[in-house]
Structures are given as C-alpha cells and as structure tokens.
Amino acid sequence: MLRNALNAMGLSSHPRINLDLAANAASDALLEVVSNPATGKAIAAVKLDDERSYYEAIGRSAAAFKRWREIPAPVRGQVVRAIGDEFRKHKQSIGAIITAEVGKITSEAVGEVQETIDIADFAVGLSRQLYGLTMPSERPGHAMREQWLPLGPIGVISAFNFPNAVWAWNAMLAAVCGDTVVWKPSLLAPLTAIATNTIAQRVASSWGHEDLFTLVIGRDEVVGERLIADTRLPLISATGSCRMGKRVGEVVAKRLGRSLLELGGNNAAIVHEDADLDLAARAILFAAVGTCGQRCTTTRRLIVHEKVVDALLSKLVKAYSSVRIGDPGAEGTLVGPLVNARAVEGFSAAIAAARTQGGTVLVGGEKDAPAGLSGYFVQPAIVRAPASNKLPIANEETFAPILYVFTFRDPEEAIEMQNSVAQGLSSAIFTRSAALAERFLSPAGTGSDCGLAYVNMGTSGAEIGGAFGGEKETGGGRESGSDSWKAYMRRQTCSINFSGKIELAQGIRFE
Ligand code: NAD
C-alpha cells in the first residue's frame, strides 16, 4: 500500500526514504524508523537532518523569501491554486500514507487532504484580499493607510495527528502572504511530510520558484531547538502539546520573535435535558472516538443534565459496543489504532487512575488488537465520574479515546464545569433552547471560554473558513480561515504629507 502510494506520486526513489532499510536503521542516529501503528512493524527508514543540513535549509528558505516577496500576491495565488490542484490528483495516495504511518482510517485520512485542498482554495481567494485600511488623518493635507507586508521565512512545527493539513493551514496562507515556509514535522509522520512538501515544491519549481517549501526532519534536540531559536525565522507556528508550546513560547519570546501556538485541548460537550438525544449521541460518538481520540478537538468530557444522563449513556454505550475497530485501511473500520506503544500506556494509565479516583468504566478501557493485527489498539472507553463529580484525571488531556461523564442540575454549573480545565480549545452544547445556546455563546464572554464553540454539533471537525485555535493553555493562536492570515504578515502604518507644510500631530507647536 505504502509503496504503491509513493510510486503513484513518483516518490519511490526519494533520497530521504528507504523502504528496505527499515529493520537495520535503528542504530543509525541519522535515520528514523517509521512504523505502522496497525501492525507495530517498521515500514520505512527516513533520513534525518543534522546541524549542517539544517543551517543550509534555512539559508535557502531565507534567500527564496527575498525573491518570492517581490511576486505580486495574486500571482502567488496562481501558484497556490496549482498546488491545490496537485493535491486533488494525489488525494488518495497521500491519504494512504497517512493511514500507513499514523493509523488514521481511510475516510478521515483522505478528508484531511481535502482540508488541504480547501485551504489552498481559500488562500487563492485571499491572495486578492490582503486588505489594509485607510484612516482619516487629523492633519490637513495628510493621508494615512495601513498595509500588510510579507514577514519572512516562517517556521512551522506540526503534530503527528494532522500530518498533512496542519502544514497546509500555515503554508498555503504564508505562501500568498509572500512568505516562504520551513517545516519541521513530527518524527511519527515524516513520510506524509516528505510527500506533501515534495508535491508542493514540485509545483512551485515548475513555476520557477525554488525553495518556497523547505522540509527539515530531525530530532528535537538537533533540529527543533535550533529552529525555535533561529533569528532568521520571525514567526514560529507550532502545533502540538501544551508542554511543547510552553518551551517554544519561552524560547521564541526570549529572542522577541513571534509565535503562533496551537496546543492541547480538554474539550467538553454539555447536554441539556431538552436536547435531541439521538442527535447528541451521534455527534458525541464521532467527536469522542473518531481518529481514536487523537484529535486536539476530541470530546474528552461530557457534562450531562442529571435527568437525561442515563438515557444518553445507554445510547452511547450501545454505539460504542458496535463501533468497528480494526485495520484503518479496510472499508467499514471506524476506529484504527493509537499511534504507538507510549500512547497505549497513557490510555491504560488514565483508565487505572480513573478507577482509583472512584470512576466507573461503563464500556471499553482494554488493550485489544483485532484478529490478525498486532498494533496499538484499544477499546474506546466511557468512564462515569463518582457522585461527587470529582475525577482529577479528567483535568488532563490523555491523547486517547476516553470520555469522562459528569452530571449537572443548573445550567450555570454546567458552564462552570466546562470552563474549569486549563485548556480552552473546543466546546459544544446540545439543547433545543435558543436561550441556553445564546447563554453559552454570551457576547459578555461569560459562556464557553474556548476558541471554538458549537451548538448541536460535536467538538471536532472544524471547517477551514473559521479561525481555528483556542485560549488559555491551548496557546491563543489562530490558524486557517477568517483573518488568521494577518499572523503571517507585518503591518505598516503609512502617513503621507502632501500639504507642503510641516504639521505636528496633537496640535504640538515646535517653532
Ligand atoms: P508533541 O508536542 O509531542 O509534538 C508536536 C511537535 O512539536 C513535533 O513536531 C515535535 O517534534 C515538536 N517538538 C517537541 N518539542 C520540541 C522542541 N523542544 N523544539 C521544537 N519542536 C519540538 O505533540 P504530538 O504528540 O505530536 O501531538 C499531540 C498533541 O498536539 C496533543 O496535545 C494535541 O491536542 C495537540 N494538537 C493541537 C492542535 C491544535 O490545533 N490546537 C492540533 C493537533 C494536535
């Protein structure tokens, strides 16, 4: 499957990828072994960057920036349009690579590539809409306006779970803004990164633009730490855990650079007594077990009105029991494996902690590889909190399919519980009441404290048109749609005097 996908994209002899060396690569510091999470078996070895190749790569990107920024934005948009078209052609093949190296089921893997195509389309439109403002000057014979200028080569760090689309959220916008991109992907997903970057750069090169998209693959100590400290990169956009974001934020702030942080979530859905429980159960099922609970927006906490908790849980337990877990590349599979053995350990440890803290496992919670597979499979779990509603483990983001269930009586209490965690990424409310929904979205900011708030929908599965990101320990960054593009440009306020006289602002006289 992997070999076919690479062949289809003309990547079978890519200098970084070795499909035959996998088993012997473990001892080589400059090779990374990539494993298939469904089988636990090595599928490829990937060549890593060292200090020297890292510096050369950033140098090439910085040089390319000086040329690329001179290209008018709508013309940059044409290059991005061609890149989007190339991703359309290779959607299935890239999807197959995502499935092979991170275990995402086929429809979600292909859906991820669709997100890349969507953001490319969005960026093409944007390339004619990088609008600045004009504002009236207080001085006669003067004009003022704001313009947005290219920023520089941008460093992009991505997590394993969206190995294609997170790059695109950044790279497609950065490209129309006149920036070049240096991408450091997760070492759990380097094959997708190589395929993605090669496709994009191949198109850019065919338009005469070398080094718009540069890939550096390496260990955090060798490549990651250098990238975040590198003063040639004015912006570091980093997606991953809160732990990583705290380190990136600190290092980038120390050099007074800019960081755009997209970090962990601990997302909750509130279900009111008037909710459509069938609709809620369907939405919660995908949001809680989709991608095997490995989305930043996965629903991890359910806050249910005590009058409907039993009815909702009986629907969810039934649905969990019938979800097909198995080979992520096979038709009909809804849940694939976790990404590696460490993730399985994290899942089991969280289940054990929940039990110790008085939680009851209603369904799932076991390690369990389906017949014929030896990879990192678990049974998605629902854990009911004790009557005290106290379950400290639920305050942490365990990157696995565990749904903790709490109850409430008073709608204000539900919002308070929803907001009680350190992260602020995604949130949802299920209700037929417009008043309760509007209370949750209150313009006074007293409802959900998250960057994403959904009504009668699950917490995951964002569209690219809106700004994506979250508050508190989620990092405060926004990527993707709306006006997120502003993060990739620098703003200049221009004041022009055509009066022939010098006039000072604020009426100051200096004669
Ligand atoms: P991770 O934090 O382990 O790694 C993410 C990336 O950061 C990797 O590329 C890693 O190599 C890099 N990194 C780690 N330490 C670094 C350092 N010191 N310097 C430079 N780079 C460094 O996260 P993961 O396990 O790959 O992904 C799961 C996490 O990502 C979850 O917490 C999830 O919620 C979060 N996530 C957030 C979003 C979002 O948009 N908010 C999207 C996807 C994933």
Side-chain angles (χ1 to χ4, degrees):
M1 185 169 80
L2 176 62
R3 202 177 283 272
N4 289 346
L6 291 169
N7 276 340
M9 289 182 281
L11 291 173
S12 48
S13 53
H14 192 283
R16 272 190 188 267
I17 304 175
N18 192 321
L19 295 180
D20 304 313
L21 243 188
N24 307 323
S27 56
D28 189 330
L30 276 184
L31 283 179
E32 178 71 6
V33 177
V34 184
S35 297
N36 180 336
T39 61
K41 298 221 168 79
I43 51 174
V46 166
K47 188 166 177 309
L48 301 182
D49 282 292
D50 58 12
E51 189 181 342
R52 215 185 88 211
S53 63
Y54 165 80
Y55 277 111
E56 283 170 8
I58 310 289
R60 285 198 307 275
S61 184
F65 168 68
K66 293 195 172 147
R67 303 186 294 270
W68 182 238
R69 67 181 171 183
E70 301 277 0
I71 307 293
V75 181
R76 293 177 211 142
Q78 294 309 305
V79 179
V80 168
R81 183 166 68 175
I83 292 170
D85 285 345
E86 200 63 8
F87 281 113
R88 276 187 178 85
K89 264 191 237 160
H90 296 299
K91 192 158 110 171
Q92 298 298 333
S93 299
I94 299 176
I97 297 177
I98 295 173
T99 298
E101 77 177 340
V102 302
K104 213 175 248 199
I105 63 168
T106 299
S107 74
E108 287 189 61
V110 171
E112 177 172 349
V113 188
Q114 182 59 46
E115 204 169 320
T116 289
I117 295 164
D118 293 343
I119 196 77
D121 285 352
F122 180 88
V124 177
L126 191 61
S127 69
R128 291 184 183 269
Q129 300 175 71
L130 301 170
Y131 298 139
L133 295 172
T134 59
M135 53 285 286
S137 167
E138 66 188 50
R139 289 173 275 193
H142 285 63
M144 280 178 79
R145 67 168 184 262
E146 228 173 45
Q147 59 175 348
W148 291 89
L149 308 170
L151 185 61
I154 306 297
V156 173
I157 296 173
S158 59
F160 79 86
N161 65 329
F162 276 88
N164 169 265
V166 164
W167 166 85
W169 292 351
N170 287 281
M172 298 295 92
L173 297 196
V176 296
C177 291
D179 303 331
T180 53
V181 175
V182 180
W183 180 16
K184 195 216 79 61
S186 163
L187 277 186
L188 296 174
L191 296 172
T192 308
I194 292 169
T196 301
N197 203 77
T198 307
I199 285 174
Q201 185 51 51
R202 215 152 54 186
V203 174
S205 299
S206 74
W207 284 67
H209 305 295
E210 296 302 333
D211 300 314
L212 289 194
F213 306 104
T214 303
L215 190 60
V216 288
I217 307 179
R219 311 210 183 280
D220 293 334
E221 322 78 77
V222 180
V223 165
E225 287 285 331
R226 285 201 165 78
L227 184 97
I228 60 184
D230 201 320
T231 51
R232 292 171 293 179
L233 304 172
L235 169 68
I236 300 291
S237 173
T239 302
S241 59
C242 299
R243 179 194 52 77
M244 176 279 285
K246 284 177 185 168
R247 174 71 189 153
V248 172
E250 181 190 336
V251 173
V252 178
K254 212 164 175 181
R255 64 174 171 91
L256 300 181
R258 279 195 215 169
S259 54
L260 194 171
L261 301 175
E262 292 284 358
L263 310 175
N266 190 349
N267 319 295
I270 297 173
V271 182
H272 279 280
E273 60 180 310
D274 68 347
D276 176 338
L277 294 187
D278 285 326
L279 178 145
R282 283 220 310 280
I284 291 162
L285 179 70
F286 173 71
V289 310
T291 328
C292 200
Q294 299 171 110
R295 286 186 182 225
C296 51
T297 50
T298 292
T299 304
R300 308 204 179 277
R301 296 175 300 132
L302 205 51
I303 302 167
V304 192
H305 194 282
E306 61 180 18
K307 286 195 184 145
V308 292
V309 69
D310 291 332
L312 180 67
L313 284 179
S314 97
K315 287 178 196 298
L316 281 173
V317 168
K318 199 165 152 211
Y320 267 59
S321 311
S322 65
V323 159
R324 189 171 321 160
I325 302 168
D327 177 356
E331 222 180 300
T333 299
L334 290 182
V335 175
L338 286 174
V339 73
N340 57 17
R342 226 172 107 209
V344 176
E345 279 162 29
F347 172 84
S348 300
I351 295 285
R355 285 199 167 106
T356 310
Q357 293 166 10
T360 307
V361 179
L362 302 180
V363 64
E366 304 299 323
K367 290 190 254 180
D368 189 12
L373 293 166
S374 49
Y376 310 115
F377 289 89
V378 296
Q379 301 278 345
I382 301 179
V383 178
R384 186 151 180 186
S388 64
N389 253 350
K390 301 241 176 315
L391 196 60
I393 187 69
N395 292 328
E396 291 169 29
E397 181 199 41
T398 300
F399 216 52
I402 307 175
L403 182 63
Y404 301 108
V405 184
F406 302 87
T407 53
F408 73 92
R409 263 184 223 163
D410 169 16
E412 294 301 315
E413 183 195 359
I415 292 177
E416 207 174 296
M417 286 164 75
Q418 125 84 44
N419 292 344
S420 68
V421 292
Q423 308 86 341
L425 180 54
S426 189
S427 58
I429 189 169
F430 291 88
T431 178
R432 288 184 169 104
S433 155
L436 284 172
E438 291 292 346
R439 169 71 191 88
F440 181 68
L441 307 174
S442 166
T446 53
S448 163
D449 66 359
C450 292
L452 307 168
Y454 295 93
V455 175
N456 293 322
M457 297 164 78
T459 54
S460 70
E463 296 181 25
I464 60 101
F468 181 93
E471 304 300 331
K472 304 194 291 187
E473 287 195 5
T474 301
R478 291 297 186 278
E479 288 173 358
S480 201
S482 186
D483 65 351
S484 305
W485 59 271
K486 290 179 177 170
Y488 305 85
M489 302 199 85
R490 63 185 172 88
R491 185 198 306 238
Q492 186 171 63
T493 302
C494 312
S495 301
I496 305 114
N497 175 7
F498 55 90
S499 69
K501 290 184 271 183
I502 286 296
E503 273 232 35
L504 300 178
Q506 293 88 42
I508 293 172
R509 311 219 60 84
F510 201 76
E511 283 154 8

